[in-house]
Amino acid sequence: MVIFDSRGSETVEVELVSGNISARVGAPSGKSRGAKEVMPFPENDARKAVQAFNTVLKQRLLGFDASDQRGVDELLKKVDGTENFSRIGGNLAYAVSAASAVLAARAQNIPPWAYIARLSGLKPCYPLPLGNVLGGGAHAGEGAPDIQEFLVFPQHVANVVEAVKCNVEAHRRLGRILLRKVGGFGGGRGDEGAYAPPLDDEKALEAVKEAVEGLNQGLGLDVAASNMYNTERDRYVYRNRGVEKTAEEQLEYIAGLVERFGLAYVEDPFHEEDFESHRRLCKMFPRLLVCGDDLVVTRARLIGEAARKGSVRAVILKPNQVGTISDTIAAAVEAERNSIVRVVSHRSGETCDGFLAHLAVGLGATFIKAGVLGGERVAKANELIRIYGQHGESLLLAEVGYA
Ligand code: 2PG
Ligand code: MG
């Protein structure tokens, strides 16, 4: 059925039933989407996805074995018949694929994360929460920073609960700092619950740095540079500041921020075709987690290419970028094969679905990027805490690994 996401936009939720067991998964929606992602909805309309479900999918799914994940995912592709899920929509494909995994796990009486771990062959662990406390770009209004996300993650914490608390504390402290320092700022937030103050990128980083003082947290950015990039002019446009940068200037600027603020993580610092600038940034900072999101869009083939070129040390895994659990697993396995850090990620438009936490645990991700505050963000953290409550120290908390 059609439900609403955290932005109030329509999205889809799927419920699959087998005997007296059922599984329900809602699909999120991105705003800063990669050009090579699958189509979220047919003709951009969630209702058309539900129509497609009722007319071409439902009948084929009846009686299908949910524990045949590959079979379900192949069926989704076959019924769709396009390269990019434009007929049924990637969000519908994802919701069906994930609900099928949850249903199969329930039928086997194991948690979804364990089912995903079994399918992937990857070693499950508790991921570290990587969350944005301040934001701008496509996720906020005019005057906010041009960079989309200012991220924090805990280093050296004892367990999942402490890890979540650490990010919450940083978010709260930042709120107090911004209210005190930024005249006229009333505490407004962007799409993902991160503060959206009228500051430039550097002032924003200064405030975040102040907020994490003594908290032992790593700092990061999601530049979401494809959104800033003007193809015709071959320039990065910092819209809110009225500044433009060439690729070379962008590299210098990002490198300067890494140095000045001791950043540990930088996502999408260049546009989605520019493997070479990513490679140069990796080369400049041997321990920096240069992370590809729009660059690789959860596709094993692109992750392989980025790895061969030395362009990334981490990759974002967003299942609805590619549409199926099987392809998300293939992407995660390709990352592991190349010693690339896995970051399982939410979208800016989210539902209160907690499945993402299971996916992150089951894929042995180092990070779960799911924001910090806001019901739909906390839903992922709370699910992670529930998994921890049930399985305790039988799984380890991830450590930040560098390639
Ligand atoms: C990103 C995401 C999530 P969106 O760029 O990493 O934070 O944004 O879902 O809008 O693509
Ligand atoms: Mg991103």
Side-chain angles (χ1 to χ4, degrees):
M1 65 195 289
V2 172
I3 59 165
F4 291 96
D5 72 13
S6 53
R7 266 194 289 257
S9 302
E10 290 183 337
T11 186
V12 292
E13 178 177 84
V14 167
E15 184 164 20
L16 298 179
V17 182
S18 170
N20 53 4
I21 306 170
S22 69
R24 192 169 66 191
V25 171
S29 288
K31 199 188 255 175
S32 65
R33 287 202 306 270
K36 291 171 231 159
E37 289 188 29
V38 297
M39 292 286 286
F41 302 111
E43 296 165 52
N44 255 326
D45 185 347
R47 285 168 193 279
K48 292 231 158 81
V50 172
Q51 247 172 39
F53 180 85
N54 288 328
T55 52
V56 295
L57 203 55
K58 194 169 164 186
Q59 207 54 37
R60 309 281 297 265
L61 280 173
L62 286 173
F64 209 94
D65 179 6
S67 69
D68 178 8
Q69 188 69 43
R70 236 171 231 290
V72 170
D73 293 342
E74 282 310 316
L75 175 69
L76 288 166
K77 286 185 183 173
K78 201 165 128 207
V79 165
D80 180 83
T82 70
E83 276 294 288
N84 60 353
F85 279 121
S86 54
R87 182 161 181 222
I88 67 169
N91 272 7
L92 175 66
Y94 161 67
V96 170
S97 183
S100 173
V102 175
L103 189 67
R106 291 207 174 126
Q108 292 171 32
N109 219 358
I110 58 172
W113 67 260
Y115 182 73
I116 300 283
R118 193 188 286 168
L119 284 181
S120 68
L122 294 164
K123 190 166 177 247
C125 65
Y126 299 120
L128 295 169
L130 172 69
N132 50 340
V133 289
L134 198 155
H139 293 172
E142 240 173 74
D146 287 288
I147 288 179
Q148 183 177 283
E149 298 169 30
F150 296 74
L151 300 146
V152 298
F153 66 90
Q155 301 179 115
H156 313 298
V157 278
N159 58 47
V160 168
V161 180
E162 292 303 313
V164 170
K165 252 192 199 167
C166 198
N167 282 4
V168 168
E169 178 58 19
H171 197 291
R172 287 187 169 164
R173 282 195 196 179
L174 179 65
R176 290 195 290 269
I177 291 168
L178 294 172
L179 287 172
R180 196 175 68 234
K181 288 196 166 169
V182 184
F185 179 60
R189 301 182 192 179
D191 287 358
E192 297 181 352
Y195 291 109
L199 291 177
D200 66 26
D201 300 330
E202 284 164 272
K203 287 267 174 316
L205 263 172
E206 277 167 22
V208 174
K209 185 128 190 154
E210 188 181 334
V212 301
E213 241 171 48
L215 285 182
N216 204 354
Q217 284 192 309
L219 294 187
L221 296 176
D222 180 359
V223 183
S226 294
N227 266 43
M228 297 180 165
Y229 184 65
N230 182 310
T231 319
E232 273 147 44
R233 290 219 296 282
D234 189 22
R235 294 278 190 285
Y236 292 91
V237 182
Y238 285 67
R239 213 168 19 102
N240 291 336
R241 308 274 104 67
V243 175
E244 289 194 4
K245 295 186 196 296
T246 63
E248 199 63 38
E249 287 164 349
Q250 177 83 348
L251 179 65
E252 251 170 56
Y253 178 59
I254 300 295
L257 295 180
V258 172
E259 261 166 13
R260 195 169 141 214
F261 295 98
L263 304 181
Y265 174 98
V266 179
E267 181 180 328
D268 281 354
F270 308 99
H271 72 82
E272 58 206 325
E273 304 290 338
D274 190 357
F275 286 83
E276 174 58 15
S277 296
H278 283 83
R279 183 194 68 76
R280 289 176 69 193
L281 186 66
C282 279
K283 219 153 175 234
M284 286 170 84
F285 300 98
R287 286 170 60 83
L288 177 67
L289 288 173
V290 176
C291 181
D293 174 6
D294 293 351
L295 187 75
V296 294
V297 291
T298 318
R299 299 235 181 222
R301 185 181 59 76
L302 292 171
I303 292 173
E305 183 180 343
R308 269 193 309 283
K309 292 181 171 163
S311 301
V312 294
R313 295 200 177 93
V315 287
I316 288 284
L317 299 172
K318 291 170 174 165
N320 78 332
Q321 277 185 330
V322 68
T324 66
I325 293 297
S326 298
D327 283 340
T328 306
I329 289 174
V333 168
E334 182 67 13
E336 167 71 13
R337 228 167 47 82
N338 290 286
S339 309
I340 287 174
V341 166
R342 301 182 283 286
V343 185
V344 168
S345 167
H346 67 167
R347 302 306 306 249
S348 46
E350 265 294 341
T351 71
C352 286
D353 199 298
F355 175 70
L356 199 75
H358 288 272
L359 192 67
V361 173
L363 294 179
T366 299
F367 294 108
I368 180 166
K369 183 180 180 232
V372 180
L373 293 191
E376 73 285 0
R377 314 294 152 188
V378 169
K380 280 70 174 166
N382 283 345
E383 189 66 14
L384 197 60
I385 288 172
R386 284 182 205 109
I387 298 172
Y388 175 65
Q390 241 184 338
H391 303 280
E393 310 303 328
S394 65
L395 296 176
L396 295 178
L397 189 62
E399 281 174 33
V400 182
Y402 297 93

Short mmCIF file of all heavy atoms in Angstrom, two decimals, residues 18 21 46-47 66 73 88 116 121 148 153 174 185-186 212 256 263 281 304 341 365 372 382 384:
data_model
loop_
_atom_site.label_atom_id
_atom_site.label_comp_id
_atom_site.label_asym_id
_atom_site.label_seq_id
_atom_site.Cartn_x
_atom_site.Cartn_y
_atom_site.Cartn_z
N SER A 18 2.62 -15.70 5.07
CA SER A 18 2.73 -17.13 4.81
C SER A 18 2.16 -17.84 6.04
O SER A 18 2.73 -17.75 7.13
CB SER A 18 4.20 -17.51 4.61
OG SER A 18 4.33 -18.91 4.59
N ILE A 21 2.36 -16.35 9.62
CA ILE A 21 3.54 -15.46 9.75
C ILE A 21 3.41 -14.34 8.72
O ILE A 21 3.00 -14.59 7.58
CB ILE A 21 4.85 -16.23 9.46
CG1 ILE A 21 4.93 -17.46 10.35
CG2 ILE A 21 6.07 -15.35 9.67
CD1 ILE A 21 6.06 -18.39 9.98
N ALA A 46 4.14 6.70 -6.56
CA ALA A 46 4.06 5.52 -5.68
C ALA A 46 2.78 4.71 -5.96
O ALA A 46 2.77 3.49 -5.85
CB ALA A 46 4.09 5.98 -4.22
N ARG A 47 1.73 5.43 -6.38
CA ARG A 47 0.46 4.72 -6.65
C ARG A 47 0.60 3.79 -7.86
O ARG A 47 -0.01 2.72 -7.90
CB ARG A 47 -0.67 5.72 -6.90
CG ARG A 47 -1.08 6.33 -5.61
CD ARG A 47 -1.96 7.50 -5.63
NE ARG A 47 -1.94 8.02 -4.28
CZ ARG A 47 -2.66 7.54 -3.28
NH1 ARG A 47 -3.50 6.55 -3.48
NH2 ARG A 47 -2.54 8.03 -2.07
N ALA A 66 9.47 -18.01 -0.09
CA ALA A 66 10.16 -16.79 0.36
C ALA A 66 11.62 -17.09 0.70
O ALA A 66 12.46 -16.18 0.66
CB ALA A 66 9.45 -16.21 1.58
N ASP A 73 14.15 -12.39 -6.15
CA ASP A 73 14.78 -11.21 -6.77
C ASP A 73 14.85 -11.33 -8.29
O ASP A 73 14.69 -10.34 -9.00
CB ASP A 73 16.15 -10.97 -6.14
CG ASP A 73 16.02 -10.55 -4.67
OD1 ASP A 73 14.91 -10.13 -4.28
OD2 ASP A 73 17.00 -10.64 -3.92
N ILE A 88 8.17 -1.38 -12.43
CA ILE A 88 7.51 -1.59 -11.13
C ILE A 88 8.07 -0.64 -10.06
O ILE A 88 7.45 -0.46 -9.01
CB ILE A 88 7.62 -3.06 -10.65
CG1 ILE A 88 9.06 -3.46 -10.32
CG2 ILE A 88 7.01 -4.01 -11.67
CD1 ILE A 88 9.17 -4.80 -9.61
N ILE A 116 20.27 -12.74 6.86
CA ILE A 116 21.09 -11.98 5.89
C ILE A 116 22.55 -12.44 5.96
O ILE A 116 23.23 -12.60 4.94
CB ILE A 116 21.02 -10.46 6.20
CG1 ILE A 116 19.58 -9.94 6.10
CG2 ILE A 116 21.95 -9.65 5.29
CD1 ILE A 116 19.02 -9.74 4.73
N GLY A 121 27.18 -14.77 3.71
CA GLY A 121 28.44 -15.40 4.10
C GLY A 121 29.39 -14.42 4.79
O GLY A 121 30.54 -14.73 5.06
N GLN A 148 26.18 18.72 2.27
CA GLN A 148 24.89 18.13 2.67
C GLN A 148 24.86 17.61 4.12
O GLN A 148 23.86 17.78 4.81
CB GLN A 148 24.55 16.99 1.71
CG GLN A 148 23.22 16.32 1.95
CD GLN A 148 22.93 15.25 0.91
OE1 GLN A 148 22.56 15.55 -0.21
NE2 GLN A 148 23.10 14.00 1.28
N PHE A 153 30.74 9.95 14.51
CA PHE A 153 30.62 8.55 14.91
C PHE A 153 31.48 8.31 16.14
O PHE A 153 32.50 8.97 16.32
CB PHE A 153 30.99 7.61 13.75
CG PHE A 153 32.43 7.68 13.33
CD1 PHE A 153 33.41 6.86 13.91
CD2 PHE A 153 32.83 8.57 12.34
CE1 PHE A 153 34.73 6.92 13.50
CE2 PHE A 153 34.16 8.65 11.93
CZ PHE A 153 35.11 7.82 12.51
N LEU A 174 25.52 20.23 20.22
CA LEU A 174 25.57 21.10 19.05
C LEU A 174 24.37 22.05 19.04
O LEU A 174 24.52 23.25 18.75
CB LEU A 174 25.59 20.26 17.76
CG LEU A 174 25.61 21.07 16.48
CD1 LEU A 174 26.91 21.87 16.35
CD2 LEU A 174 25.45 20.16 15.25
N PHE A 185 18.92 32.01 14.98
CA PHE A 185 18.69 30.60 14.68
C PHE A 185 17.78 29.99 15.75
O PHE A 185 18.07 30.04 16.94
CB PHE A 185 20.03 29.84 14.63
CG PHE A 185 19.87 28.37 14.34
CD1 PHE A 185 19.27 27.95 13.16
CD2 PHE A 185 20.30 27.41 15.25
CE1 PHE A 185 19.11 26.59 12.88
CE2 PHE A 185 20.16 26.06 14.98
CZ PHE A 185 19.56 25.65 13.79
N GLY A 186 16.68 29.42 15.29
CA GLY A 186 15.70 28.89 16.25
C GLY A 186 15.77 27.39 16.43
O GLY A 186 14.86 26.78 17.00
N VAL A 212 31.83 18.04 19.83
CA VAL A 212 32.33 16.69 20.13
C VAL A 212 33.56 16.72 21.04
O VAL A 212 34.14 15.67 21.32
CB VAL A 212 32.64 15.88 18.84
CG1 VAL A 212 31.40 15.74 17.99
CG2 VAL A 212 33.79 16.46 18.04
N GLY A 256 41.86 20.60 2.39
CA GLY A 256 42.06 21.60 3.44
C GLY A 256 41.15 21.33 4.64
O GLY A 256 41.58 21.42 5.80
N LEU A 263 39.33 15.31 9.69
CA LEU A 263 38.21 14.46 9.29
C LEU A 263 38.67 13.02 9.08
O LEU A 263 39.76 12.77 8.58
CB LEU A 263 37.57 14.98 8.00
CG LEU A 263 37.08 16.43 8.01
CD1 LEU A 263 36.45 16.79 6.66
CD2 LEU A 263 36.06 16.64 9.13
N LEU A 281 42.40 12.02 -3.84
CA LEU A 281 42.14 12.31 -2.42
C LEU A 281 42.58 11.13 -1.55
O LEU A 281 43.20 11.32 -0.50
CB LEU A 281 40.65 12.63 -2.20
CG LEU A 281 40.29 13.10 -0.79
CD1 LEU A 281 40.93 14.46 -0.48
CD2 LEU A 281 38.77 13.20 -0.60
N GLY A 304 33.63 -2.69 -7.69
CA GLY A 304 34.84 -3.34 -8.21
C GLY A 304 35.71 -2.34 -8.98
O GLY A 304 36.92 -2.28 -8.80
N VAL A 341 35.42 -0.74 3.38
CA VAL A 341 34.51 -0.60 4.52
C VAL A 341 33.07 -0.44 4.04
O VAL A 341 32.80 0.32 3.12
CB VAL A 341 34.94 0.65 5.35
CG1 VAL A 341 33.87 1.06 6.34
CG2 VAL A 341 36.26 0.37 6.07
N ALA A 365 28.56 -4.71 8.46
CA ALA A 365 28.95 -3.33 8.13
C ALA A 365 29.70 -2.68 9.28
O ALA A 365 29.38 -2.91 10.44
CB ALA A 365 27.70 -2.51 7.79
N VAL A 372 20.63 10.85 13.47
CA VAL A 372 20.74 10.75 14.94
C VAL A 372 19.36 10.92 15.58
O VAL A 372 18.90 10.03 16.30
CB VAL A 372 21.73 11.78 15.51
CG1 VAL A 372 21.82 11.65 17.03
CG2 VAL A 372 23.13 11.61 14.89
N ASN A 382 17.16 2.19 17.62
CA ASN A 382 16.45 1.36 18.61
C ASN A 382 16.42 -0.11 18.20
O ASN A 382 16.52 -0.99 19.04
CB ASN A 382 15.03 1.89 18.80
CG ASN A 382 15.00 3.14 19.67
OD1 ASN A 382 15.99 3.45 20.34
ND2 ASN A 382 13.90 3.85 19.66
N LEU A 384 18.70 -1.58 16.50
CA LEU A 384 20.07 -2.06 16.77
C LEU A 384 20.22 -2.38 18.26
O LEU A 384 20.81 -3.41 18.63
CB LEU A 384 21.06 -0.96 16.35
CG LEU A 384 22.51 -1.36 16.17
CD1 LEU A 384 22.64 -2.43 15.09
CD2 LEU A 384 23.34 -0.14 15.80
#
